[in-house]
Amino acid sequence: MKKTLLATALLGLFASHQAMASEETQELRKIIAQQQQVLKDLEKRLEATEQRVEQTADVVEASASTKSATTIGGYGELHYNNIHNNLNDTDKKEMDFHRFVLFFGHEFNDKTRFFSELEVEHVIASHEEEDAGEVELEQAYIEHDFSDSLTGKAGLFLMPVGIMNETHEPPAFYGVERNPVEKNILPVTWWEGGLALNVKAAPGLAFDAAVTSGLKVEEDFKVRGGRQKVSEAAAEDLAYTGRVKYTAVPGLELAATLQYQSDIAQSSLADSASATLFSAHAIYSIQNFTVKALYAQWDIDNAAAEALGRDKQKGFYIEPAYRFNEKVGIFARYNEWDNEAGNGNDTEVTQTNFGVNYWLHENVVFKADYEIVGGAKDADGFNLGVGYQF
């Protein structure tokens, strides 16, 4: 009897223990299930957050791509000239917003891009004779990188010649007006339509080659007047241009350009007039001091040009400059040129400028210079200007 009662007690205790264990197991299972649900909910939230981050990144990337693909820039300059002509005792006192230029560019991908430059000169362009203004498309070309060392362009572009022709934004040079040698001899700003290649042969050594429309001079053989600006330009005789540029030494740039055109008159005169242009320049900068020098010469093979003395037209300038800091720089420039160098007479013109540039910002500059003109001309006075680029 005692054994039966003891067995019954043990069985009851075991059953009670089992019931308690079962309840604890169920409770534990509930806790585990709750934790698993929490983890699932957290995982879903993390996935949703990750998706939102990816979507935001895609939007930002697309926005950045859109912003960088198409670009707008430009430059402009206002001039005040106060020059007295000592030969005829006349004054030139003139205020002129000389140039307002807008750049538009677009990158189709990392290899192919478009660039253009639209310019308004002298504010107003109309059919009225008193309006001196012009609206000009100076650049509009497609550029493509065939490789890291070979780039080509097709369209309307600036010629690879001289110092200023490809870089003439006001903050980039000293003096209110562009130098007269590159203006009258080269002549900047000078653009043509055609094809061009740039070859990076080695670090700091590059070659340019171009086949383009050419000049078309009149009977006076004035080179600057021969720019056709690719406006229904005569293309009887194309121009062939080559340039070599060396920049391997820090602070030094050396370049030389050669152009040949079989008839610079484009068959408009009785005799053809083959023309060869040679230009070379050097730029050397050491610390705050920079010196620039340029030489340019035209040789025109034509009897009428020879009779005018314009079978040879040449010029040079030298310009030392010192920049005290990021705000202030001073310069002096001596120019000498002759558009009738073939006649043996004293027809060369000299011009000396010296002055100061004050950069309110790296892309905003105020300028002042004094000008002395001599040789075949006699004048002096001063120029003031403000320019910008963006």
Side-chain angles (χ1 to χ4, degrees):
M1 186 67 176
K2 290 181 179 179
K3 291 181 178 180
T4 303
L5 289 173
L6 179 60
T8 301
L10 288 173
L11 287 172
L13 181 62
F14 179 76
S16 175
H17 177 75
Q18 286 291 97
M20 291 176 63
S22 178
E23 290 178 0
E24 290 177 356
T25 301
Q26 291 177 0
E27 187 66 26
L28 182 60
R29 286 175 178 172
K30 288 180 180 180
I31 293 172
I32 292 173
Q34 290 174 353
Q35 294 298 323
Q36 289 176 338
Q37 186 62 42
V38 169
L39 288 174
K40 288 181 180 179
D41 292 342
L42 181 59
E43 186 177 356
K44 289 180 179 180
R45 291 176 184 175
L46 288 174
E47 288 178 355
T49 302
E50 185 179 355
Q51 288 177 356
R52 286 196 295 268
V53 170
E54 290 178 352
Q55 290 172 356
T56 302
D58 291 340
V59 171
V60 171
E61 184 178 354
S63 176
S65 176
T66 300
K67 290 181 180 178
S68 62
T70 301
T71 56
I72 298 175
Y75 72 87
E77 51 190 339
L78 172 70
H79 299 164
Y80 173 70
N81 308 112
N82 190 324
I83 307 295
H84 180 73
N85 190 320
N86 298 310
L87 293 177
N88 54 22
D89 195 27
T90 58
D91 289 310
K92 175 187 176 182
K93 296 181 179 179
E94 184 176 270
M95 181 83 71
D96 181 31
F97 201 99
H98 202 144
R99 298 175 180 92
F100 176 81
V101 182
L102 290 176
F103 302 142
F104 297 93
H106 182 80
E107 289 195 13
F108 300 99
N109 53 42
D110 59 351
K111 292 183 177 295
T112 306
R113 63 200 67 91
F114 168 77
F115 184 78
S116 65
E117 181 177 342
L118 183 66
E119 176 172 339
V120 178
E121 288 197 351
H122 311 296
V123 179
I124 299 174
S126 71
H127 296 293
E128 301 296 330
E129 293 184 1
E130 63 270 18
D131 293 336
E134 293 181 303
V135 178
E136 300 173 328
L137 185 63
E138 290 194 1
Q139 298 192 77
Y141 63 85
I142 296 294
E143 186 176 67
H144 180 77
D145 298 328
F146 294 98
S147 67
D148 292 340
S149 59
L150 178 62
T151 299
K153 65 174 66 171
L156 186 77
F157 51 84
L158 295 169
M159 299 300 292
V161 59
I163 297 174
M164 295 197 67
N165 202 50
E166 293 177 298
T167 306
H168 45 252
E169 293 76 17
F173 65 91
Y174 283 96
V176 175
E177 302 288 350
R178 298 172 181 176
N179 74 80
V181 174
E182 294 193 74
K183 175 182 177 181
N184 291 293
I185 300 298
L186 286 180
V188 301
T189 307
W190 179 16
W191 63 89
E192 299 288 355
L195 301 172
L197 288 176
N198 174 264
V199 180
K200 298 177 180 64
L205 180 63
F207 296 90
D208 293 281
V211 180
T212 64
S213 54
L215 301 173
K216 181 184 179 182
V217 299
E218 303 297 332
E219 294 180 352
D220 56 11
F221 285 93
K222 291 183 178 180
V223 173
R224 185 169 183 80
R227 298 177 304 166
Q228 301 188 82
K229 302 184 178 181
V230 200
S231 175
E232 298 184 343
E236 296 287 337
D237 292 270
L238 300 177
Y240 304 90
T241 307
R243 178 178 67 180
V244 57
K245 180 183 284 190
Y246 178 79
T247 56
V249 177
L252 177 66
E253 175 179 305
L254 301 173
T257 297
L258 187 68
Q259 185 190 91
Y260 175 77
Q261 187 174 335
S262 60
D263 187 2
I264 200 174
Q266 298 282 354
S267 304
S268 64
L269 302 178
D271 298 320
S272 64
S274 63
T276 303
L277 167 67
F278 171 74
S279 174
H281 74 258
I283 304 173
Y284 183 63
S285 298
I286 179 170
Q287 295 182 348
N288 296 337
F289 178 76
T290 299
V291 61
K292 298 179 180 181
L294 177 139
Y295 177 82
Q297 176 176 314
W298 281 96
D299 288 297
I300 302 174
D301 186 12
N302 180 272
E306 185 176 355
L308 294 170
R310 291 176 180 160
D311 56 325
K312 292 189 182 298
Q313 304 183 40
K314 61 183 180 179
F316 74 90
Y317 75 85
I318 183 169
E319 177 191 290
Y322 185 82
R323 189 157 179 172
F324 295 96
N325 49 48
E326 63 180 11
K327 296 290 187 181
V328 181
I330 58 174
F331 82 102
R333 182 173 60 239
Y334 176 78
N335 313 266
E336 184 175 309
W337 73 99
D338 191 348
N339 288 102
E340 299 176 4
N343 62 13
N345 299 328
D346 294 331
T347 51
E348 70 271 9
V349 181
T350 65
Q351 180 175 310
T352 302
N353 295 77
F354 52 89
V356 59
N357 278 18
Y358 175 76
W359 285 270
L360 186 66
H361 177 274
E362 63 178 345
N363 292 323
V364 180
V365 64
F366 290 86
K367 304 181 180 185
D369 65 72
Y370 193 79
E371 180 176 307
I372 303 170
V373 182
K377 297 182 179 180
D378 185 6
D380 60 83
F382 67 92
N383 306 290
L384 302 173
V386 59
Y388 64 87
Q389 66 178 7
F390 62 91

